[in-house]
Amino acid sequence: MEPATGQSLGVVNLAADKDVAVAAVCAAAAQTAWARTPHIARAAVLRWAGAVRTA
């Protein structure tokens, strides 16, 4: 909530503890492959994710 205008800035979904634990395990499993990915390819993924988020 923007204090000056009262306008909503976004929505946050809640996750159960189990959901967070599963996400952490998946992230740890993916980290090795992500670290081997060339920086140009990682940048492209992050740009795509940003574009999807703002679409």
Side-chain angles (χ1 to χ4, degrees):
M1 185 74 61
E2 169 58 55
T5 65
Q7 181 180 7
S8 174
L9 298 175
V11 176
V12 176
N13 294 320
L14 299 179
D17 290 346
K18 182 179 177 183
D19 297 328
V20 174
V22 168
V25 168
C26 290
Q31 196 283 327
T32 301
W34 181 252
R36 286 193 311 259
T37 302
H39 72 279
I40 297 291
R42 286 185 281 171
V45 170
L46 295 174
R47 281 192 296 276
W48 173 83
V52 169
R53 187 188 179 298
T54 58

